[in-house]
Amino acid sequence: MSIRSQFKMPKRLVVKIGTSSLIYPDGQLNLKTMDELAFTLSAVQNRGLEVVLVTSGAIGVGLDQMHLTKRPVEIARQQAIAAIGQNELMAILNQRFASYSQQIGQILLTHDVMDYPISKKNVLNTFEQLLLMGAIPVVNENDSVSVDEMDHLTTFGDNDQLSALVATAIDADLLIILSDIDGLFDADPHTCTNAKTIPLIDEITEAVVNLAGGTGTRFGTGGMVTKLKAAKRVINAGHQMVLANGEDPKIIFDILAGKSIGTLFAADC
């Protein structure tokens, strides 16, 4: 596997893992992936890098906890299920990270927090202090209160956008988005057997956006379009993003080694 000459080793890293990586298609929790994620990020932290985890999955975990097979339409029910799921998700992550002697700290965000200067400053201070303490901040959208009402914007829409916002706000060198796809393809891999992963994108053009499609699963809300929006934010901030398959989180080791895995989004390559 080739080494990327364009890749720059980060000092501060944000990893976003999607619902599809944490929850099986039948709704059961993927405990193996959760454990491998905790192991990998703990090992990366021990190597001296600062690590932030942005995780989806609160509603998906809540559906599993409540033995529901269908995501409810009503916002209030979604919020209640998210509250149940977030509690269980953090309990599992705390248990798995603790087994590797790694402290984590939860940060729940709404768009308002990042929009208003005082609240943004406070939450950025929290990030900095957690990182100074050697803890890994675990970030999720506060789904129990986030709702788009009239002109009052609170939601991020998906955690791809949240991860990019967090990465740029804390000045992270690299954002890794782990999803259920190997990267950005030059054609639809579901219909084209010859589709190949594009190893490098240095600008989000209209042609690049046209390669994207789909909106995710019943457990999650993200699709390729949201990932490209995240990449554009990161590129515009002068940093890097890698989109790769999150089936085995240990792929992060290879990404940090500069191996050509997934799609690298980086300007001025």
Side-chain angles (χ1 to χ4, degrees):
M1 186 175 294
S2 62
I3 299 296
R4 285 184 167 126
S5 60
Q6 306 89 348
F7 182 78
K8 299 175 183 177
M9 183 65 177
K11 295 181 179 179
R12 178 171 288 185
L13 167 68
V14 174
V15 174
K16 185 265 179 177
I17 190 161
T19 303
S20 59
S21 299
L22 298 176
I23 299 175
Y24 292 113
D26 65 359
Q28 297 296 307
L29 303 186
N30 190 335
L31 298 176
K32 178 176 179 291
T33 292
M34 291 184 183
D35 183 73
E36 290 176 344
L37 179 68
F39 163 75
T40 302
L41 296 187
S42 298
V44 170
Q45 180 90 346
N46 287 339
R47 287 168 55 180
L49 276 69
E50 294 179 327
V51 181
V52 174
L53 172 62
V54 177
T55 176
S56 300
I59 290 180
V61 174
L63 290 173
D64 178 65
Q65 286 292 106
M66 299 302 292
H67 308 292
L68 298 174
T69 58
K70 185 177 180 181
R71 183 173 178 147
V73 175
E74 301 87 356
I75 290 178
R77 282 178 59 82
Q78 290 186 36
Q79 291 174 308
I81 289 171
I84 294 169
Q86 186 65 35
N87 182 63
E88 180 65 15
L89 178 62
M90 284 304 298
I92 295 171
L93 290 175
N94 191 61
Q95 178 193 54
R96 299 323 306 148
F97 275 99
S99 70
Y100 300 109
S101 301
Q102 177 59 56
Q103 183 65 56
I104 62 175
Q106 183 182 43
I107 298 180
L108 293 175
L109 294 177
T110 61
H111 216 304
D112 292 27
V113 172
M114 303 303 286
D115 282 343
Y116 296 123
I118 294 177
S119 58
K120 181 178 181 180
K121 181 177 184 296
N122 288 336
V123 78
L124 291 182
N125 287 341
T126 301
F127 274 110
E128 293 297 332
Q129 286 302 311
L130 285 170
L131 293 171
L132 282 172
M133 294 174 182
I136 293 179
V138 178
V139 185
N140 201 347
E141 182 167 7
N142 194 350
D143 291 321
S144 293
V145 300
S146 294
V147 58
D148 192 358
E149 293 180 343
M150 297 182 293
D151 63 344
H152 186 61
L153 178 64
T154 60
T155 62
F156 296 97
D158 63 86
N159 280 1
D160 294 326
Q161 299 303 301
L162 173 60
S163 66
L165 183 59
V166 168
T168 54
I170 68 171
D171 201 27
D173 309 288
L174 174 66
L175 168 63
I176 297 176
I177 292 185
L178 299 179
S179 186
D180 57 358
I181 194 167
D182 294 338
L184 179 64
F185 285 80
D186 57 9
D188 187 348
H190 298 104
T191 58
C192 181
T193 56
N194 296 323
K196 294 183 175 62
T197 305
I198 302 173
L200 177 65
I201 297 288
D202 60 7
E203 184 181 5
I204 307 301
T205 63
E206 184 177 350
V208 170
V209 174
N210 288 339
L211 293 173
T215 56
T217 69
R218 69 186 173 99
F219 301 111
T221 58
M224 185 57 71
V225 171
T226 69
K227 291 165 180 56
L228 293 183
K229 289 180 180 178
K232 185 175 183 178
R233 180 186 288 270
V234 171
I235 288 176
N236 289 345
H239 298 310
Q240 303 180 103
M241 180 183 119
V242 173
L243 172 62
N245 196 308
E247 182 178 1
D248 183 356
K250 293 193 295 294
I251 197 174
I252 292 172
F253 292 133
D254 290 332
I255 293 172
L256 293 178
K259 295 182 179 180
S260 187
I261 293 173
T263 299
L264 171 66
F265 298 86
D268 301 323
C269 296

